Amino acid sequence: MQKLKFYTLLIGLALLLMQCNSKSYVTPTEKCSENDPFKNTIVESQYFEFSADEDNVKEGAKGTVIAFPKGCFVDKDGNVVKGAVKVELAEAFNMQDMINSNLTTASEGKSLETAGMVYFNVKTADGEQLGVNEDNPIYIEIPTDEREAGMQVYKGERDENGMTNWVAPEPIKSYLVTVDINLLNFLPEGFGETVERRIPFDGYTEATQALKDSLYYSLSGVSENDIYKRYEGADLDLNINEQHHYNNTSPTGSLVPSNHYDPNDYKAVLIQDPGYDYDGMPCGIDPAIIKTIKNEKFAKSYIATRAFEARLKVIFKTCRDDVLELYIKNLEKDLWKVDELAAELLKGYPETDMLYQEPDLNCVECDFEEQFLKFAAQKLTNVEDAGKQAELLKDYYNKKIKTVQDDINAANAELKKTMDAENEAAKGKVEEYKDLLWEREKYRMETYGFEFESTGWVNVDKPMPEREVVARVNEPTESCSIINQLDVKLAEGKSYERAYVYLVYSDIQSMRRLDTDDQELFMAKHNSRQGMVIYGQTPAILVGVAYNGETPYIGVKKFVTTADKECNQHLDITLVETTVEQLNKTLGGYDSYSPANRISKDLEYQAAFAVEKKRQEKLADERRFLLNLWECANYCCRDYGHG
């Protein structure tokens, strides 16, 4: 990809088509006159409206960048303008635009070699002509493929016949010009755009620069594995019912305590932690370094220039902190000399076998030595008086970087502590529910108790009856003594936010919640080991409960278990809207059962799990977002696998 380099122009009242004289603060300015024969073909203007009370940076459609510092405009009396202003910009960078606009490249009859032409004007929202504050000028950058020596800035004088003469040339200053460091983009490629696509996020309705910076800095010292660990609560298994976590495979049917439920509550498989060194190649620039240098301390160094911003884009792709620190620790040197140091440091890096197989990494851009040699060829110098503060800034950086890293690590540790507490609370609720399920199963299981007065072998048994034919599970028969599977279809089940169906045996005062994947078909299977045998020709009750917000729905259906030829039974149930009071009254009819067999008790856990599920969805969404940001920040360890 071809990189654009910029001419830096410091524009005052006398420059860039502002036809002024030194005795006037404002001179009426127009792109062309009403009689201009090229007024219908002249290059189109773009308009930007913003407040002059704030710093602003605007970019034209063809790459012109203009920085408007607060207070850069004045009115006809020389007063600094506040409030809304409207800026007009026209760009002529190609031959077609220049021909259509009759923008010839000549000065007093002599030919000029142009790097591009722009027209700039500013007025109040009411159309009053304004001028540029000489003491606080605007800053303009014009993009060019190759920066050439000897370029100057000319003022354009256009007459009513559409002829333009370029006069009053001024050399482009040899010193680098700083801009407001807060207006520079010190983020890795794609990071800001990823944040913008995610808005709204965590209460933010706008992707402010402060938000982008904060999210980037928070990734300092954070590995991909750290993010998985921080958000492991998103993978807590809430799909818990009596048979889902039952591990007993013993043929004896003996009881299994609750702590023998499946211990693998967290389903996420953590990747091997790459840290900051994967196959000998670091993952990315430490965000703490960027946080340390992007402050007012460095506002008068070349760190606060567009030239350094352009180099930083490449430095991010090297993934090497030592390259960035070359620029930080050599602030007294001209920029082109530090470029040469960077090229020397990157000679032969990365080695071929260290490159990933991603197409965008195996490209000419990976020749970092060549890229920094091209930077050096621009022969960019430094900001004025750079040497006066260079040593102070190096000392500041060496002391500050550790503090910044410690602060970020402390903030991340506090966040993880909070999230761990929430995750443990959720896991504790799951463990409570498992205990309740175990108590329910234990209640239904048969036990045998007796007195014994001697030592030796003991057998609990009974004489074998005469052999008879017994219906086998899944074997078609005209009369099934046991229901193999009970299916219940809930009418309009998907219309509810939450829905549950319970099978109740009033004769033994026990129940079980039926399983469902879609809130339409609910199912219970015969399971003798858990004591929930579904006998045929037995009175039973279906209780359906659902919610939309705080509004409850209830349905009760009494039936007799009756099997089809496959020993299955199929039923329907319909719910009706009710009140919380009426729902509690209906469910209260089962509150004489043991706590583990009360529908109301089970619903308390289901309500807690519904809240937890929403938290999990939020965690999973945040995790995907942070993993995408992590890949932007760690260019050399991208796997593009998080969506």
Side-chain angles (χ1 to χ4, degrees), residues 368-413:
F368 296 122
E369 179 188 6
E370 178 64 23
Q371 290 187 72
F372 282 94
L373 286 176
K374 287 183 177 179
F375 282 140
Q378 296 173 7
K379 295 297 181 181
L380 297 186
T381 57
N382 208 326
V383 299
E384 194 170 5
D385 297 327
K388 294 181 180 180
Q389 57 178 340
E391 287 301 319
L392 293 175
L393 289 176
K394 279 189 284 186
D395 290 342
Y396 170 82
Y397 173 79
N398 291 332
K399 295 175 182 177
K400 187 68 174 178
I401 182 63
K402 183 64 167 60
T403 302
V404 171
Q405 290 170 333
D406 290 344
D407 289 345
I408 294 173
N409 291 339
N412 283 333

Side-chain angles (χ1 to χ4, degrees), residues 37-56:
F38 296 92
K39 70 176 183 178
N40 294 326
T41 60
I42 196 169
V43 63
E44 292 185 4
S45 294
Q46 307 155 57
Y47 296 91
F48 306 94
E49 297 184 29
F50 52 86
S51 173
D53 300 339
E54 301 174 350
D55 294 328
N56 288 272

Side-chain angles (χ1 to χ4, degrees), residues 126-146:
D126 297 328
E128 178 187 346
Q129 179 71 54
L130 299 177
V132 177
N133 187 348
E134 287 183 322
D135 297 325
N136 190 22
I138 65 174
Y139 169 82
I140 294 181
E141 290 178 346
I142 295 178
T144 182
D145 293 335
E146 294 293 337

Side-chain angles (χ1 to χ4, degrees), residues 358 360-361 631 635 638-643:
E358 298 296 340
D360 65 331
L361 290 179
E631 288 190 343
Y635 185 84
R638 297 181 177 188
D639 62 21
Y640 305 92
H642 306 298

Side-chain angles (χ1 to χ4, degrees), residues 277-282 317-320 345-358 361-363 365-369 636:
D277 191 2
Y278 187 89
D279 287 343
M281 193 170 187
K317 293 186 177 182
T318 71
C319 306
R320 289 179 53 170
L345 183 63
L346 290 165
K347 184 176 293 185
Y349 176 87
E351 297 175 9
T352 304
D353 59 359
M354 292 169 63
L355 288 174
Y356 290 87
Q357 297 305 309
E358 298 296 340
L361 290 179
N362 291 318
C363 60
E365 289 190 1
C366 293
D367 190 347
F368 296 122
E369 179 188 6
C636 297

Side-chain angles (χ1 to χ4, degrees), residues 11 16 56 128 136 156 234 312 432 465 467 492 548 585 588:
I11 306 300
L16 195 59
N56 288 272
E128 178 187 346
N136 190 22
L312 185 58
E432 284 182 18
R467 186 170 183 178
E492 299 181 355
N548 274 329
K585 182 178 179 181

